[in-house]
Amino acid sequence: MDAVPFDYAGLLERIAADTAPLVGSGTPAEYIPALASVDPGRFGMAIADLDGNVFGVGDWQVPFSAQSITKVFALALALAEGGDGLWERVGREPSGNPFNSLVQLEYENGIPRNPFINAGALVVTDRLQTLTGDASSELLGFLRTESGNPDIGFDADVAASEQEHGDRNAAVAHFMASYGNIDNPVPALLDHYFWQCSIEMSCADLARAGLFLARHGLRADGSRLLTRSEAKQINAVMMTCGTYDAAGEFAYRVGLPGKSGVGGGIVAVVPGQCVLAVWSPGLDPQGNSVAGVAALDRFTTLTGLSVF
């Protein structure tokens, strides 16, 4: 897909106006107390073009908890550092179950369905920990570099909240370890995973940081992080698995590779064109931002930009 010029600033203003009636719909993530208190009336959206120019509307420069969106970047680093042997430990298929489900692991011998459900993300973080010795710091450094924002950081309150309420993640990790699919001590793995999910970024940060997927694997400095094929593979898994068990609905409405987080953020990629990031904390029952999905739906409807 060749880049096409758009009036992104004007487009974002229109999308924000069209989406405004839905802002505040849904419910913030109540099972993580540090997220439950976020104002559901917030809305921000940003678009980063291939040159790194960013356009935004609303709360597009306000940091929020990236949560599961960080799984995309951890996956990219694990593939870049360690190659495609990772796929022997985690699948690439939609799960059809909630993101924190344990159901399929026993049937499938401790191999998670995909890298974006919690079980699969734990395997990816485990692999990154083995490769780097400090998975969460490696990821944070990457995000700071690609976004151009050295102030991106962890939210200690969110990390502590996740740790305190992380029994299900601990159960998943121990269960996979019993099948030999976790290499590092489970407590250390969980620590890195919770810190990873606590990273705070704005829509502007996320849109810039994700540009390597729109540039077919090229980083902000022009160096290659991923092969073109690996970038395609990550985009494909985002399309089929990036929005939990609502990926089919997201593909139907939006038509772009996307990854959501229960902090209310969503990143979406238009290969060869741009990256979008949207944030609104109110979630639907599947854990995706109600206003965020609607805003991305409006973007592809108004521009005709999708992978279809």
Side-chain angles (χ1 to χ4, degrees), residues 69-261:
I69 298 174
T70 62
K71 296 172 182 177
V72 172
F73 302 99
L75 175 61
L77 286 176
L79 288 174
E81 295 274 353
D84 62 7
L86 175 68
W87 298 121
E88 297 174 6
R89 299 177 53 190
V90 60
R92 299 185 292 270
E93 296 294 337
S95 70
N97 286 306
F99 59 87
N100 59 356
S101 174
L102 291 86
V103 173
Q104 288 167 328
L105 285 173
E106 185 165 15
Y107 295 119
E108 298 176 357
N109 301 313
I111 305 295
R113 277 288 178 95
N114 67 70
F116 296 147
I117 56 175
N118 287 13
L122 283 162
V123 170
V124 172
T125 299
D126 180 64
R127 179 64 175 147
L128 190 59
Q129 177 66 12
T130 298
L131 290 166
T132 67
D134 192 344
S136 54
S137 294
E138 188 79 9
L139 177 62
L140 180 63
F142 175 78
L143 291 170
R144 286 174 171 174
T145 299
E146 293 306 295
S147 67
N149 182 1
D151 295 327
I152 290 173
F154 301 113
D155 185 323
D157 290 339
V158 169
S161 185
E162 298 225 37
Q163 185 83 47
E164 184 178 351
H165 299 272
D167 290 338
R168 182 174 287 264
N169 283 318
V172 167
H174 281 292
F175 193 74
M176 291 190 295
S178 75
Y179 282 95
N181 200 19
I182 296 296
D183 294 332
N184 294 280
V186 168
L189 167 61
L190 290 169
D191 193 47
H192 281 280
Y193 180 72
F194 294 141
W195 282 110
Q196 169 188 316
C197 290
S198 80
I199 291 174
E200 279 199 324
M201 301 175 72
S202 68
C203 292
D205 296 329
L206 283 165
R208 276 202 191 98
L211 278 171
F212 70 94
L213 290 171
R215 298 192 189 105
H216 309 295
L218 294 180
R219 297 186 62 165
D221 64 2
S223 64
R224 183 163 290 283
L225 176 71
L226 303 171
T227 66
R228 191 180 183 98
S229 179
E230 287 169 338
K232 176 199 72 175
Q233 291 162 3
I234 291 179
N235 279 326
V237 178
M238 288 172 69
M239 173 67 81
T240 58
C241 308
T243 46
Y244 311 121
D245 52 337
E249 179 70 11
F250 187 82
Y252 176 83
R253 290 185 62 185
V254 177
L256 293 173
K259 183 71 197 85
S260 60

Side-chain angles (χ1 to χ4, degrees), residues 281-301:
L283 307 179
D284 64 20
Q286 287 74 39
N288 301 308
S289 170
V290 174
V293 173
L296 293 170
D297 183 355
R298 289 301 291 154
F299 172 84
T300 53
T301 300

